[in-house]
Amino acid sequence: MTSFKAATRWMGVGVAGLMMAGAVQAGSHDHDHPDIVDTAVAAGQFETLVAAVEAAGLVDTLKGEGPFTVFAPTDEAFAALPEGTLDELLMPENLETLQAILTYHVVAGKVMAEDAMGLESAETVQGQAITITTENGSVMINDATVIQADIEASNGVIHVIDGVLLPE
């Protein structure tokens, strides 16, 4: 179970890193808000994601200009992964897989919840599309539910999700 928690932490970190990387690519900073990485760290519910982003070497990217939209799994979402998954992903030999998972949580541009509700899908930084649906007033990203939307950062926006997105 400990290895699973560690793996989920690293996966989350990777996502944060991907988010940051996208943020570096375009746009300007809003000095009223910290960047995506600092916002995730301050929130306190993304320790696993931040650790994964660090392990994946994506922190500088997610601290970049952006803008990026990050669908950020909570620590609880990572804890729900099968036992051993997170630990395996955090191994150096699985760096590319970790980066792919994390970048699958990032969309280029700043997509606020109201705009996302009008979309059926969005292309991720990883290259595959995520599916966006609205069910019973909730926005779903693939099989994960958005539990908190529109957390603004200087280089994008974070939407909190209750599951870890896995590319095909």
Side-chain angles (χ1 to χ4, degrees):
M1 195 68 162
T2 302
S3 63
F4 175 71
K5 287 183 180 180
T8 52
R9 282 197 179 135
W10 285 112
M11 284 177 45
V13 172
V15 172
L18 290 175
M19 292 181 204
M20 287 186 233
V24 171
Q25 294 178 6
S28 62
H29 281 279
D30 171 359
H31 296 290
D32 293 335
H33 300 287
D35 62 46
I36 288 173
V37 175
D38 292 341
T39 299
V41 168
Q45 63 181 342
F46 305 113
E47 291 180 18
T48 303
L49 178 61
V50 171
V53 169
E54 290 173 351
L58 298 172
V59 171
D60 289 342
T61 300
L62 290 179
K63 283 185 159 288
E65 287 288 322
F68 271 83
T69 299
V70 176
F71 295 99
T74 62
D75 291 335
E76 291 77 20
F78 280 105
L81 291 171
E83 188 171 342
T85 300
L86 186 55
D87 288 337
E88 188 174 323
L89 287 170
L90 295 176
M91 294 178 174
E93 60 268 25
N94 296 323
L95 177 63
E96 288 182 20
T97 301
L98 177 61
Q99 289 173 335
I101 290 170
L102 292 175
T103 53
Y104 187 63
H105 288 78
V106 181
V107 172
K110 186 174 182 179
V111 182
M112 302 303 285
E114 183 176 341
D115 299 321
M117 291 175 70
L119 301 174
E120 293 180 7
S121 66
E123 177 105 5
T124 67
V125 173
Q126 181 264 352
Q128 293 182 30
I130 51 172
T131 301
I132 303 170
T133 56
T134 303
E135 295 181 17
N136 302 322
S138 295
V139 176
M140 304 287 295
I141 308 300
N142 292 352
D143 293 328
T145 302
V146 175
I147 56 176
Q148 185 177 359
D150 297 342
I151 300 171
E152 294 196 58
S154 63
N155 58 354
V157 62
I158 297 171
H159 301 294
V160 183
I161 57 175
D162 68 353
V164 176
L165 307 175
L166 300 173
E168 294 181 16

